[in-house]
Amino acid sequence: MSIDPRLAGAKRMLGNIKKIIPVMSSKGGVGKTIISVILALQLSRQGYKTGLLDLDINDPNTHIVLGIDLDKTFPEEKEGVIPPLTYGIRYMTIGYYTKNNPTPLRGEEVDDAIKEILAITKWGDLDYLIVDTPPGLGDEVLDTIEYLLDPRPVIVSTPSPLSRESVLKLISLIKNEGVKNYGVIYNMVRKQPELHDERVIGYVNYDESIDEVIGNPSEILKTKIAGDLEKLIPRIIKL
Amino acid sequence: MLGELQNIDKDILKQYIDMVIKETDYSHLKIDYEIEKTLLKCRKCGYTWSLSDIELTEEEREMIHFLPEAIHTFSKCPKCGSKDIDILRGRGIKLRIW
């Protein structure tokens, strides 16, 4: 018999988190990372104990949005690793270990890296853990649903038919895997699409100014995107 | 079986496990600890090499200790230079029960 103790370890490490909210989309470039970071910042500002986990194993970049220098920040090791407190958020990324170097991992290794990160990260008591995930329908998505405890995904799409069709596949997949509570945010909206989906949390308008404030959390929170998202928080935390 | 990439001190781990297990009903169990040497393989040219064939800084070893997949960050094929490599052996901790 062979045992992998990491998943049992992961459950223990995630055990004191009240709600885990993965931000997911099968389509790339729809704004998952920006939305993840803003949600985490806003929840923290509202007084909730909040964590942010970057599960984009091949190309993590939440640290760029937060303006964190990976050469100067590193988690403390104490019966696991403790995510550093950054702008009020407990923040964890594989980037602490890979810095800004390319780290090409294939299927099984992505799964191994995710198990490892979940097993070593000591979150402590949190109200919310926001998880930024990469696009696609592969390992990270399956692991997010399988390994995180009772995940309540926020699914991000743009109004583009390409994105919406793609996201329908993701929704079908997560429902099939037993996820009951999820909601959809339409991002980069220029004209509100006509939709009749009860699962829509809301809309975030297109805001080209966001690129100018990447790396500056206090300015990010002043953008229209942040304003739109703030209105959706009551619905997100009820998922 | 302790993967070499994990860089875990076998003696310290044994000490801790012995300490915990002696208070339990399993104190009679015999536990062997074995380091599994690393074997890396280039997916592009097929070359294989081990950890002792490459040079890593202390900081890089530390990163790999926390996350063995970081070997992809700090190593490439010594023959063709590709970063598309497989870890064939030497990652993780495995427990085999007979």
Side-chain angles (χ1 to χ4, degrees), chain A residues 1-6 71 74-75 77 81 94 96-99 101-106 109-110 112-113 116-117 120, chain B residues 6 43 59 62-74 83-87 91-98:
Chain A
M1 188 168 83
S2 186
I3 296 170
D4 187 335
R6 290 175 297 179
D71 286 325
F74 198 70
E77 188 182 8
V81 300
I94 189 179
Y96 292 132
Y97 307 106
T98 58
K99 306 302 174 190
N101 300 299
T103 304
L105 302 182
R106 288 176 183 263
E109 289 180 309
V110 171
D112 264 331
E116 204 75 34
I117 289 283
I120 65 172
Chain B
Q6 226 79 25
R43 292 182 68 105
E59 196 195 353
E62 176 86 348
M63 301 298 163
I64 294 165
H65 157 68
F66 284 113
L67 186 76
E69 280 66 37
I71 189 75
H72 290 270
T73 309
F74 304 113
K83 286 181 87 73
D84 189 6
I85 62 179
D86 273 341
I87 306 170
R91 82 139 347 271
I93 301 174
K94 297 180 191 100
L95 183 62
R96 283 196 194 130
I97 303 167
W98 281 275

Tab-separated table of all heavy atoms in Angstrom, chain A residues 1-6 71 74-75 77 81 94 96-99 101-106 109-110 112-113 116-117 120, chain B residues 6 43 59 62-74 83-87 91-98:
chain	number	residue	atom	x	y	z
A	1	MET	N	0.848	-1.198	0.000
A	1	MET	CA	0.000	0.000	0.000
A	1	MET	C	0.883	1.248	0.000
A	1	MET	O	1.921	1.270	0.627
A	1	MET	CB	-0.871	-0.009	1.256
A	1	MET	CG	-1.914	1.078	1.259
A	1	MET	SD	-3.154	0.846	2.551
A	1	MET	CE	-2.304	1.564	3.947
A	2	SER	N	0.472	2.276	-0.725
A	2	SER	CA	1.239	3.511	-0.779
A	2	SER	C	0.341	4.684	-0.369
A	2	SER	O	-0.810	4.755	-0.804
A	2	SER	CB	1.763	3.701	-2.201
A	2	SER	OG	2.610	4.812	-2.236
A	3	ILE	N	0.859	5.578	0.456
A	3	ILE	CA	0.047	6.695	0.954
A	3	ILE	C	0.710	8.021	0.595
A	3	ILE	O	1.917	8.162	0.742
A	3	ILE	CB	-0.079	6.611	2.499
A	3	ILE	CG1	-0.832	5.345	2.902
A	3	ILE	CG2	-0.777	7.836	3.060
A	3	ILE	CD1	-0.794	5.077	4.391
A	4	ASP	N	-0.077	8.973	0.094
A	4	ASP	CA	0.440	10.328	-0.107
A	4	ASP	C	-0.154	11.198	1.007
A	4	ASP	O	-1.358	11.463	1.013
A	4	ASP	CB	0.010	10.862	-1.481
A	4	ASP	CG	0.665	12.198	-1.780
A	4	ASP	OD1	1.026	12.904	-0.815
A	4	ASP	OD2	0.825	12.532	-2.960
A	5	PRO	N	0.667	11.586	1.973
A	5	PRO	CA	0.116	12.292	3.136
A	5	PRO	C	-0.256	13.749	2.857
A	5	PRO	O	-0.856	14.412	3.691
A	5	PRO	CB	1.263	12.234	4.151
A	5	PRO	CG	2.501	12.123	3.317
A	5	PRO	CD	2.116	11.424	2.037
A	6	ARG	N	0.055	14.234	1.647
A	6	ARG	CA	-0.110	15.679	1.420
A	6	ARG	C	-1.563	16.134	1.434
A	6	ARG	O	-1.868	17.224	1.906
A	6	ARG	CB	0.557	16.083	0.111
A	6	ARG	CG	2.064	16.024	0.172
A	6	ARG	CD	2.672	16.301	-1.152
A	6	ARG	NE	2.288	15.289	-2.118
A	6	ARG	CZ	2.673	15.292	-3.394
A	6	ARG	NH1	3.405	16.251	-3.848
A	6	ARG	NH2	2.296	14.316	-4.204
A	71	ASP	N	11.955	38.883	-4.577
A	71	ASP	CA	13.297	38.710	-4.023
A	71	ASP	C	13.371	39.234	-2.590
A	71	ASP	O	14.326	38.965	-1.872
A	71	ASP	CB	14.329	39.440	-4.886
A	71	ASP	CG	14.565	38.682	-6.185
A	71	ASP	OD1	14.518	37.440	-6.151
A	71	ASP	OD2	14.757	39.336	-7.225
A	74	PHE	N	9.433	36.523	1.589
A	74	PHE	CA	9.504	35.067	1.652
A	74	PHE	C	8.730	34.598	2.886
A	74	PHE	O	8.816	35.227	3.938
A	74	PHE	CB	10.971	34.619	1.732
A	74	PHE	CG	11.156	33.176	1.367
A	74	PHE	CD1	10.990	32.751	0.060
A	74	PHE	CD2	11.483	32.238	2.333
A	74	PHE	CE1	11.138	31.417	-0.290
A	74	PHE	CE2	11.640	30.901	1.994
A	74	PHE	CZ	11.474	30.486	0.678
A	75	PRO	N	7.977	33.508	2.747
A	75	PRO	CA	7.180	33.068	3.898
A	75	PRO	C	8.050	32.543	5.039
A	75	PRO	O	9.063	31.895	4.789
A	75	PRO	CB	6.325	31.922	3.333
A	75	PRO	CG	6.510	31.930	1.875
A	75	PRO	CD	7.786	32.638	1.578
A	77	GLU	N	8.945	30.030	8.005
A	77	GLU	CA	8.694	28.606	8.206
A	77	GLU	C	8.460	28.341	9.686
A	77	GLU	O	9.324	28.602	10.519
A	77	GLU	CB	9.889	27.779	7.706
A	77	GLU	CG	9.580	26.295	7.726
A	77	GLU	CD	10.752	25.434	7.278
A	77	GLU	OE1	11.845	25.976	7.098
A	77	GLU	OE2	10.546	24.218	7.125
A	81	VAL	N	4.580	26.696	6.218
A	81	VAL	CA	5.019	28.053	5.888
A	81	VAL	C	3.840	29.005	6.064
A	81	VAL	O	2.707	28.687	5.712
A	81	VAL	CB	5.626	28.167	4.467
A	81	VAL	CG1	6.837	27.275	4.315
A	81	VAL	CG2	4.613	27.855	3.403
A	94	ILE	N	3.294	30.389	-5.605
A	94	ILE	CA	4.437	29.539	-5.966
A	94	ILE	C	5.625	30.418	-6.358
A	94	ILE	O	6.777	30.002	-6.325
A	94	ILE	CB	4.060	28.582	-7.128
A	94	ILE	CG1	5.163	27.551	-7.371
A	94	ILE	CG2	3.755	29.331	-8.402
A	94	ILE	CD1	4.862	26.561	-8.472
A	96	TYR	N	7.122	32.606	-4.775
A	96	TYR	CA	8.160	32.730	-3.739
A	96	TYR	C	9.312	31.762	-4.018
A	96	TYR	O	10.448	32.002	-3.633
A	96	TYR	CB	7.596	32.395	-2.360
A	96	TYR	CG	6.590	33.378	-1.814
A	96	TYR	CD1	5.387	32.939	-1.270
A	96	TYR	CD2	6.840	34.745	-1.802
A	96	TYR	CE1	4.460	33.821	-0.738
A	96	TYR	CE2	5.918	35.638	-1.274
A	96	TYR	CZ	4.735	35.168	-0.747
A	96	TYR	OH	3.828	36.052	-0.230
A	97	TYR	N	8.975	30.618	-4.646
A	97	TYR	CA	9.972	29.571	-4.843
A	97	TYR	C	10.546	29.541	-6.256
A	97	TYR	O	11.581	28.945	-6.482
A	97	TYR	CB	9.358	28.199	-4.495
A	97	TYR	CG	8.749	28.214	-3.128
A	97	TYR	CD1	7.373	28.237	-2.951
A	97	TYR	CD2	9.564	28.292	-2.008
A	97	TYR	CE1	6.812	28.305	-1.685
A	97	TYR	CE2	9.018	28.364	-0.732
A	97	TYR	CZ	7.645	28.379	-0.580
A	97	TYR	OH	7.108	28.457	0.673
A	98	THR	N	9.839	30.136	-7.195
A	98	THR	CA	10.320	30.096	-8.577
A	98	THR	C	10.764	31.470	-9.062
A	98	THR	O	11.288	31.592	-10.170
A	98	THR	CB	9.211	29.571	-9.514
A	98	THR	OG1	8.076	30.421	-9.393
A	98	THR	CG2	8.796	28.164	-9.154
A	99	LYS	N	10.519	32.490	-8.190
A	99	LYS	CA	10.863	33.883	-8.529
A	99	LYS	C	10.220	34.241	-9.875
A	99	LYS	O	9.128	33.798	-10.159
A	99	LYS	CB	12.385	34.072	-8.535
A	99	LYS	CG	13.051	33.635	-7.236
A	99	LYS	CD	12.497	34.377	-6.036
A	99	LYS	CE	13.048	33.863	-4.708
A	99	LYS	NZ	12.364	34.408	-3.556
A	101	ASN	N	11.283	33.309	-12.785
A	101	ASN	CA	11.842	32.431	-13.811
A	101	ASN	C	10.761	31.564	-14.453
A	101	ASN	O	9.795	31.191	-13.789
A	101	ASN	CB	12.884	31.492	-13.178
A	101	ASN	CG	14.021	32.253	-12.549
A	101	ASN	OD1	14.730	32.969	-13.225
A	101	ASN	ND2	14.180	32.123	-11.237
A	102	PRO	N	10.944	31.215	-15.720
A	102	PRO	CA	9.987	30.286	-16.317
A	102	PRO	C	10.092	28.923	-15.636
A	102	PRO	O	11.196	28.436	-15.387
A	102	PRO	CB	10.429	30.203	-17.787
A	102	PRO	CG	11.831	30.694	-17.817
A	102	PRO	CD	12.001	31.627	-16.664
A	103	THR	N	8.951	28.361	-15.300
A	103	THR	CA	8.926	27.057	-14.631
A	103	THR	C	7.940	26.167	-15.369
A	103	THR	O	6.771	26.070	-15.009
A	103	THR	CB	8.514	27.231	-13.147
A	103	THR	OG1	9.419	28.155	-12.541
A	103	THR	CG2	8.552	25.924	-12.387
A	104	PRO	N	8.405	25.552	-16.461
A	104	PRO	CA	7.474	24.762	-17.265
A	104	PRO	C	7.184	23.406	-16.622
A	104	PRO	O	8.068	22.576	-16.498
A	104	PRO	CB	8.226	24.587	-18.597
A	104	PRO	CG	9.666	24.692	-18.237
A	104	PRO	CD	9.782	25.501	-16.988
A	105	LEU	N	5.959	23.231	-16.188
A	105	LEU	CA	5.571	21.955	-15.580
A	105	LEU	C	4.509	21.288	-16.443
A	105	LEU	O	3.657	21.957	-17.004
A	105	LEU	CB	4.988	22.179	-14.179
A	105	LEU	CG	5.853	22.887	-13.149
A	105	LEU	CD1	5.118	22.976	-11.817
A	105	LEU	CD2	7.168	22.160	-12.946
A	106	ARG	N	4.586	19.976	-16.511
A	106	ARG	CA	3.553	19.234	-17.225
A	106	ARG	C	2.577	18.621	-16.229
A	106	ARG	O	2.802	18.671	-15.033
A	106	ARG	CB	4.199	18.157	-18.096
A	106	ARG	CG	4.929	18.736	-19.304
A	106	ARG	CD	5.624	17.649	-20.061
A	106	ARG	NE	6.385	18.163	-21.183
A	106	ARG	CZ	5.926	18.191	-22.437
A	106	ARG	NH1	4.720	17.770	-22.698
A	106	ARG	NH2	6.692	18.647	-23.399
A	109	GLU	N	3.106	16.998	-12.723
A	109	GLU	CA	3.925	17.876	-11.884
A	109	GLU	C	3.144	19.097	-11.407
A	109	GLU	O	3.397	19.613	-10.322
A	109	GLU	CB	5.163	18.309	-12.654
A	109	GLU	CG	6.128	17.151	-12.830
A	109	GLU	CD	7.352	17.560	-13.593
A	109	GLU	OE1	7.197	18.158	-14.680
A	109	GLU	OE2	8.448	17.298	-13.108
A	110	VAL	N	2.204	19.562	-12.228
A	110	VAL	CA	1.329	20.660	-11.788
A	110	VAL	C	0.545	20.184	-10.574
A	110	VAL	O	0.446	20.864	-9.559
A	110	VAL	CB	0.361	21.084	-12.921
A	110	VAL	CG1	-0.687	22.064	-12.408
A	110	VAL	CG2	1.133	21.699	-14.080
A	112	ASP	N	1.370	17.792	-8.526
A	112	ASP	CA	2.302	17.649	-7.405
A	112	ASP	C	2.583	18.994	-6.748
A	112	ASP	O	2.589	19.118	-5.524
A	112	ASP	CB	3.631	17.051	-7.898
A	112	ASP	CG	3.676	15.551	-7.697
A	112	ASP	OD1	3.031	15.061	-6.758
A	112	ASP	OD2	4.341	14.872	-8.495
A	113	ALA	N	2.822	20.007	-7.573
A	113	ALA	CA	3.140	21.336	-7.031
A	113	ALA	C	1.952	21.891	-6.245
A	113	ALA	O	2.122	22.493	-5.175
A	113	ALA	CB	3.529	22.290	-8.159
A	116	GLU	N	1.667	20.127	-2.965
A	116	GLU	CA	2.765	20.560	-2.095
A	116	GLU	C	2.420	21.918	-1.449
A	116	GLU	O	2.556	22.097	-0.244
A	116	GLU	CB	4.033	20.688	-2.937
A	116	GLU	CG	5.312	20.568	-2.167
A	116	GLU	CD	5.618	19.132	-1.758
A	116	GLU	OE1	5.289	18.202	-2.503
A	116	GLU	OE2	6.187	18.963	-0.666
A	117	ILE	N	2.002	22.861	-2.286
A	117	ILE	CA	1.669	24.207	-1.789
A	117	ILE	C	0.534	24.125	-0.756
A	117	ILE	O	0.588	24.756	0.299
A	117	ILE	CB	1.239	25.130	-2.970
A	117	ILE	CG1	2.440	25.485	-3.839
A	117	ILE	CG2	0.529	26.385	-2.491
A	117	ILE	CD1	3.364	26.535	-3.265
A	120	ILE	N	1.793	22.591	2.607
A	120	ILE	CA	2.767	23.303	3.459
A	120	ILE	C	2.255	24.661	3.935
A	120	ILE	O	2.807	25.226	4.875
A	120	ILE	CB	4.139	23.499	2.752
A	120	ILE	CG1	4.030	24.405	1.520
A	120	ILE	CG2	4.769	22.175	2.416
A	120	ILE	CD1	5.387	24.782	0.912
B	6	GLN	N	13.639	16.674	-1.808
B	6	GLN	CA	12.960	17.216	-0.629
B	6	GLN	C	13.959	17.696	0.431
B	6	GLN	O	13.638	18.551	1.238
B	6	GLN	CB	12.076	16.123	-0.048
B	6	GLN	CG	10.683	16.570	0.321
B	6	GLN	CD	9.759	16.673	-0.859
B	6	GLN	OE1	9.958	16.012	-1.869
B	6	GLN	NE2	8.755	17.511	-0.742
B	43	ARG	N	13.110	15.750	-21.770
B	43	ARG	CA	12.062	15.248	-22.670
B	43	ARG	C	12.416	15.508	-24.126
B	43	ARG	O	11.816	14.955	-25.027
B	43	ARG	CB	10.733	15.925	-22.336
B	43	ARG	CG	10.167	15.534	-20.987
B	43	ARG	CD	8.836	16.204	-20.775
B	43	ARG	NE	7.847	15.684	-21.680
B	43	ARG	CZ	6.866	14.844	-21.340
B	43	ARG	NH1	6.753	14.454	-20.094
B	43	ARG	NH2	6.012	14.405	-22.235
B	59	GLU	N	20.536	28.789	-1.776
B	59	GLU	CA	19.195	29.377	-1.875
B	59	GLU	C	18.313	28.548	-2.808
B	59	GLU	O	17.141	28.289	-2.516
B	59	GLU	CB	19.296	30.820	-2.381
B	59	GLU	CG	18.011	31.587	-2.127
B	59	GLU	CD	17.914	32.876	-2.919
B	59	GLU	OE1	18.906	33.247	-3.578
B	59	GLU	OE2	16.838	33.485	-2.883
B	62	GLU	N	17.216	25.476	-1.120
B	62	GLU	CA	16.165	25.821	-0.149
B	62	GLU	C	14.805	25.913	-0.847
B	62	GLU	O	13.798	25.411	-0.349
B	62	GLU	CB	16.544	27.171	0.494
B	62	GLU	CG	15.532	27.737	1.459
B	62	GLU	CD	15.682	27.207	2.880
B	62	GLU	OE1	16.438	26.226	3.061
B	62	GLU	OE2	15.025	27.749	3.777
B	63	MET	N	14.779	26.556	-2.013
B	63	MET	CA	13.526	26.688	-2.766
B	63	MET	C	13.011	25.297	-3.158
B	63	MET	O	11.824	25.011	-3.081
B	63	MET	CB	13.734	27.505	-4.054
B	63	MET	CG	14.257	28.905	-3.847
B	63	MET	SD	13.103	29.870	-2.899
B	63	MET	CE	14.157	31.204	-2.392
B	64	ILE	N	13.938	24.431	-3.584
B	64	ILE	CA	13.553	23.090	-4.030
B	64	ILE	C	13.094	22.240	-2.838
B	64	ILE	O	12.197	21.407	-2.967
B	64	ILE	CB	14.732	22.426	-4.786
B	64	ILE	CG1	14.996	23.204	-6.081
B	64	ILE	CG2	14.449	20.957	-5.094
B	64	ILE	CD1	16.321	22.903	-6.738
B	65	HIS	N	13.676	22.501	-1.673
B	65	HIS	CA	13.246	21.809	-0.451
B	65	HIS	C	11.764	22.081	-0.187
B	65	HIS	O	10.984	21.174	0.097
B	65	HIS	CB	14.112	22.277	0.726
B	65	HIS	CG	13.504	22.097	2.074
B	65	HIS	ND1	13.284	20.850	2.637
B	65	HIS	CD2	13.061	22.998	2.998
B	65	HIS	CE1	12.742	21.006	3.836
B	65	HIS	NE2	12.587	22.285	4.075
B	66	PHE	N	11.351	23.350	-0.323
B	66	PHE	CA	9.949	23.693	-0.095
B	66	PHE	C	9.073	23.181	-1.227
B	66	PHE	O	7.969	22.719	-1.009
B	66	PHE	CB	9.779	25.221	0.017
B	66	PHE	CG	10.230	25.766	1.335
B	66	PHE	CD1	11.338	26.594	1.419
B	66	PHE	CD2	9.542	25.458	2.505
B	66	PHE	CE1	11.754	27.105	2.634
B	66	PHE	CE2	9.956	25.974	3.725
B	66	PHE	CZ	11.059	26.791	3.787
B	67	LEU	N	9.555	23.303	-2.434
B	67	LEU	CA	8.747	22.947	-3.603
B	67	LEU	C	9.640	22.225	-4.619
B	67	LEU	O	10.321	22.870	-5.414
B	67	LEU	CB	8.159	24.226	-4.220
B	67	LEU	CG	7.180	23.965	-5.347
B	67	LEU	CD1	5.844	23.487	-4.801
B	67	LEU	CD2	6.970	25.200	-6.186
B	68	PRO	N	9.658	20.893	-4.589
B	68	PRO	CA	10.571	20.151	-5.468
B	68	PRO	C	10.438	20.517	-6.948
B	68	PRO	O	11.413	20.438	-7.695
B	68	PRO	CB	10.177	18.693	-5.217
B	68	PRO	CG	9.628	18.694	-3.842
B	68	PRO	CD	8.926	20.009	-3.668
B	69	GLU	N	9.209	20.944	-7.359
B	69	GLU	CA	9.032	21.311	-8.774
B	69	GLU	C	9.869	22.531	-9.146
B	69	GLU	O	10.066	22.832	-10.333
B	69	GLU	CB	7.557	21.573	-9.087
B	69	GLU	CG	6.745	20.300	-9.314
B	69	GLU	CD	6.629	19.448	-8.070
B	69	GLU	OE1	6.515	20.035	-6.970
B	69	GLU	OE2	6.664	18.208	-8.179
B	70	ALA	N	10.381	23.242	-8.153
B	70	ALA	CA	11.247	24.387	-8.454
B	70	ALA	C	12.551	23.947	-9.129
B	70	ALA	O	13.298	24.780	-9.632
B	70	ALA	CB	11.534	25.197	-7.186
B	71	ILE	N	12.796	22.646	-9.159
B	71	ILE	CA	13.959	22.149	-9.908
B	71	ILE	C	13.847	22.578	-11.377
B	71	ILE	O	14.845	22.826	-12.054
B	71	ILE	CB	14.101	20.595	-9.790
B	71	ILE	CG1	15.416	20.096	-10.386
B	71	ILE	CG2	12.965	19.859	-10.428
B	71	ILE	CD1	16.630	20.343	-9.588
B	72	HIS	N	12.610	22.712	-11.853
B	72	HIS	CA	12.395	23.164	-13.242
B	72	HIS	C	12.853	24.609	-13.423
B	72	HIS	O	13.154	25.035	-14.525
B	72	HIS	CB	10.913	23.069	-13.620
B	72	HIS	CG	10.436	21.663	-13.767
B	72	HIS	ND1	10.483	20.985	-14.951
B	72	HIS	CD2	9.916	20.814	-12.858
B	72	HIS	CE1	9.989	19.768	-14.771
B	72	HIS	NE2	9.652	19.644	-13.512
B	73	THR	N	12.834	25.356	-12.338
B	73	THR	CA	13.245	26.750	-12.403
B	73	THR	C	14.762	26.859	-12.465
B	73	THR	O	15.303	27.680	-13.189
B	73	THR	CB	12.746	27.497	-11.138
B	73	THR	OG1	11.359	27.243	-10.978
B	73	THR	CG2	12.987	28.979	-11.241
B	74	PHE	N	15.416	26.010	-11.685
B	74	PHE	CA	16.853	26.200	-11.476
B	74	PHE	C	17.734	25.203	-12.226
B	74	PHE	O	18.946	25.236	-12.106
B	74	PHE	CB	17.165	26.161	-9.975
B	74	PHE	CG	16.373	27.157	-9.186
B	74	PHE	CD1	15.415	26.761	-8.264
B	74	PHE	CD2	16.559	28.514	-9.407
B	74	PHE	CE1	14.679	27.694	-7.549
B	74	PHE	CE2	15.827	29.458	-8.702
B	74	PHE	CZ	14.885	29.040	-7.771
B	83	LYS	N	14.592	23.191	-20.897
B	83	LYS	CA	14.008	23.187	-19.550
B	83	LYS	C	12.821	22.229	-19.460
B	83	LYS	O	12.154	22.143	-18.426
B	83	LYS	CB	13.558	24.604	-19.170
B	83	LYS	CG	14.732	25.527	-18.835
B	83	LYS	CD	14.258	26.907	-18.454
B	83	LYS	CE	13.927	27.031	-16.991
B	83	LYS	NZ	15.081	27.062	-16.094
B	84	ASP	N	12.566	21.524	-20.566
B	84	ASP	CA	11.453	20.574	-20.584
B	84	ASP	C	11.955	19.250	-20.030
B	84	ASP	O	12.371	18.354	-20.770
B	84	ASP	CB	10.943	20.422	-22.027
B	84	ASP	CG	9.645	19.631	-22.085
B	84	ASP	OD1	9.097	19.303	-21.013
B	84	ASP	OD2	9.182	19.335	-23.208
B	85	ILE	N	11.920	19.147	-18.700
B	85	ILE	CA	12.529	17.973	-18.061
B	85	ILE	C	11.519	17.242	-17.179
B	85	ILE	O	10.556	17.837	-16.709
B	85	ILE	CB	13.782	18.357	-17.229
B	85	ILE	CG1	13.417	19.325	-16.093
B	85	ILE	CG2	14.849	18.961	-18.125
B	85	ILE	CD1	14.592	19.727	-15.223
B	86	ASP	N	11.763	15.979	-16.982
B	86	ASP	CA	10.932	15.159	-16.093
B	86	ASP	C	11.724	14.792	-14.843
B	86	ASP	O	12.923	14.514	-14.935
B	86	ASP	CB	10.559	13.834	-16.783
B	86	ASP	CG	9.307	13.964	-17.623
B	86	ASP	OD1	8.544	14.921	-17.412
B	86	ASP	OD2	9.116	13.108	-18.505
B	87	ILE	N	11.029	14.764	-13.725
B	87	ILE	CA	11.650	14.206	-12.514
B	87	ILE	C	11.254	12.737	-12.483
B	87	ILE	O	10.098	12.404	-12.261
B	87	ILE	CB	11.120	14.900	-11.242
B	87	ILE	CG1	11.287	16.428	-11.321
B	87	ILE	CG2	11.794	14.340	-10.000
B	87	ILE	CD1	10.581	17.196	-10.206
B	91	ARG	N	11.544	12.791	-5.803
B	91	ARG	CA	10.679	13.832	-5.230
B	91	ARG	C	9.710	13.189	-4.238
B	91	ARG	O	9.393	12.019	-4.328
B	91	ARG	CB	9.926	14.616	-6.301
B	91	ARG	CG	8.709	13.964	-6.803
B	91	ARG	CD	7.448	14.775	-7.059
B	91	ARG	NE	7.283	16.112	-6.585
B	91	ARG	CZ	6.780	16.413	-5.393
B	91	ARG	NH1	6.486	15.489	-4.518
B	91	ARG	NH2	6.591	17.671	-5.068
B	92	GLY	N	9.317	13.971	-3.271
B	92	GLY	CA	8.277	13.542	-2.344
B	92	GLY	C	8.737	12.618	-1.246
B	92	GLY	O	9.906	12.250	-1.147
B	93	ILE	N	7.779	12.291	-0.407
B	93	ILE	CA	8.006	11.324	0.665
B	93	ILE	C	6.988	10.222	0.456
B	93	ILE	O	5.802	10.499	0.290
B	93	ILE	CB	7.780	11.963	2.052
B	93	ILE	CG1	8.726	13.150	2.239
B	93	ILE	CG2	7.951	10.942	3.159
B	93	ILE	CD1	8.461	13.923	3.512
B	94	LYS	N	7.460	9.007	0.399
B	94	LYS	CA	6.511	7.905	0.192
B	94	LYS	C	6.583	6.953	1.374
B	94	LYS	O	7.655	6.716	1.928
B	94	LYS	CB	6.849	7.149	-1.093
B	94	LYS	CG	6.722	8.009	-2.333
B	94	LYS	CD	7.070	7.210	-3.590
B	94	LYS	CE	7.206	8.158	-4.766
B	94	LYS	NZ	8.601	8.475	-5.082
B	95	LEU	N	5.428	6.460	1.724
B	95	LEU	CA	5.355	5.515	2.828
B	95	LEU	C	4.838	4.195	2.277
B	95	LEU	O	3.759	4.138	1.698
B	95	LEU	CB	4.382	6.067	3.888
B	95	LEU	CG	4.193	5.290	5.161
B	95	LEU	CD1	5.498	5.197	5.942
B	95	LEU	CD2	3.131	5.967	6.029
B	96	ARG	N	5.646	3.167	2.402
B	96	ARG	CA	5.203	1.847	1.943
B	96	ARG	C	4.976	0.973	3.163
B	96	ARG	O	5.810	0.922	4.055
B	96	ARG	CB	6.273	1.199	1.065
B	96	ARG	CG	6.289	1.798	-0.315
B	96	ARG	CD	7.071	0.901	-1.269
B	96	ARG	NE	7.332	1.665	-2.479
B	96	ARG	CZ	8.522	1.779	-3.055
B	96	ARG	NH1	9.566	1.146	-2.540
B	96	ARG	NH2	8.671	2.485	-4.136
B	97	ILE	N	3.836	0.306	3.160
B	97	ILE	CA	3.514	-0.529	4.312
B	97	ILE	C	3.484	-1.992	3.879
B	97	ILE	O	2.805	-2.332	2.916
B	97	ILE	CB	2.149	-0.124	4.909
B	97	ILE	CG1	2.183	1.376	5.277
B	97	ILE	CG2	1.815	-0.957	6.128
B	97	ILE	CD1	0.839	1.962	5.586
B	98	TRP	N	4.250	-2.811	4.578
B	98	TRP	CA	4.236	-4.264	4.295
B	98	TRP	C	3.492	-4.998	5.395
B	98	TRP	O	3.647	-4.675	6.586
B	98	TRP	CB	5.671	-4.804	4.214
B	98	TRP	CG	6.303	-4.507	2.907
B	98	TRP	CD1	6.218	-5.226	1.745
B	98	TRP	CD2	7.172	-3.401	2.594
B	98	TRP	NE1	6.961	-4.631	0.754
B	98	TRP	CE2	7.554	-3.504	1.247
B	98	TRP	CE3	7.641	-2.308	3.324
B	98	TRP	CZ2	8.398	-2.595	0.615
B	98	TRP	CZ3	8.478	-1.402	2.704
B	98	TRP	CH2	8.841	-1.556	1.357
